[in-house]
Amino acid sequence: MVAYPDIQEKVQKEIQSAVRPSHKFCYEDRKKLPYTNAVIHEVQRFGNIILVGSFRECTKDITLQGFHIKKGTTIIPDTASVLYDPEQWETPHQFNPNHFLDKDGNFFCKEAFMPFGIGHRVCLGEQMAKVELFIFFCSLLQAFKFQPPEGTKVNTEPVVGGVAIIPQPYEICAIPY
């Protein structure tokens, strides 16, 4: 949010208009906060931290989109290829919460959104993570405005570290809102 103060302000205004100032958030509140929910999803899509999904082994010979894959072949899913696919996302390499909003401003989630993986081996903690992300994000933005220290700028270029993508180190100020 430090890198996108206009988006941070829009989230805070939505929170202010939807809940009372001392409100304790619950996961059901996401239905009252479509833009905030879209921002959280876009943070996960755009700020994807895993380069590849869990390794798989092909259990039988198959042909997939014209490619023959032999039984026993190790398959490494490229998560980023879906999360940044220009056929799925209007502006794949830009932070854009509108990826998760319909023309009327209602939240919707595309099938191509899979930061926790997909299928039988989806992350076991997905549901808990979604709840925690929503509650923490809303609670923090209800209470604070985040900005860089005076005279500094946040570098949003990620650093590749093994199989993960990590943010650059930076400092922020949390100012009571």
Side-chain angles (χ1 to χ4, degrees):
M1 293 298 87
V2 173
Y4 304 96
D6 54 325
I7 292 173
Q8 177 178 207
E9 184 178 336
K10 193 169 177 180
V11 166
Q12 289 173 318
K13 284 181 179 176
E14 182 181 62
I15 289 171
Q16 278 181 333
S17 69
V19 299
R20 64 188 184 286
S22 61
H23 182 72
K24 301 289 184 214
F25 289 95
C26 68
Y27 194 51
E28 286 300 305
D29 289 328
R30 73 191 187 287
K31 296 172 185 171
K32 295 185 280 189
L33 301 165
Y35 185 76
T36 302
N37 199 17
V39 169
I40 293 167
H41 280 72
E42 182 65 358
V43 166
Q44 291 178 278
R45 185 202 69 82
F46 186 72
N48 177 42
I49 60 170
I50 303 296
L51 288 172
V52 294
S54 300
F55 290 31
R56 307 282 200 275
E57 185 176 303
C58 195
T59 58
K60 62 182 179 181
D61 286 358
I62 63 166
T63 300
L64 181 65
Q65 295 185 345
F67 294 95
H68 181 71
I69 303 171
K70 289 184 177 187
K71 178 181 178 177
T73 301
T74 299
I75 300 169
I76 306 168
D78 178 5
T79 310
S81 70
V82 178
L83 294 173
Y84 303 113
D85 183 350
E87 291 183 24
Q88 299 293 323
W89 311 99
E90 183 181 331
T91 54
H93 297 287
Q94 293 176 5
F95 186 80
N96 180 1
N98 291 324
H99 288 142
F100 295 94
L101 296 170
D102 66 17
K103 62 179 175 50
D104 297 320
N106 298 309
F107 175 81
F108 76 96
C109 194
K110 292 183 178 186
E111 207 174 307
F113 178 73
M114 53 180 76
F116 296 99
I118 194 166
H120 295 296
R121 291 180 183 87
V122 68
C123 175
L124 292 175
E126 176 181 12
Q127 207 48 46
M128 184 174 72
K130 285 180 175 180
V131 171
E132 288 179 345
L133 278 169
F134 181 81
I135 292 171
F136 278 107
F137 185 81
C138 291
S139 298
L140 287 169
L141 286 175
Q142 181 184 43
F144 299 101
K145 175 182 179 182
F146 295 95
Q147 63 186 42
E150 194 172 318
T152 65
K153 189 175 179 193
V154 174
N155 181 353
T156 59
E157 287 300 314
V159 177
V160 177
V163 296
I165 302 169
I166 55 176
Q168 299 276 350
Y170 58 89
E171 294 180 355
I172 60 170
C173 298
I175 300 162
Y177 186 66

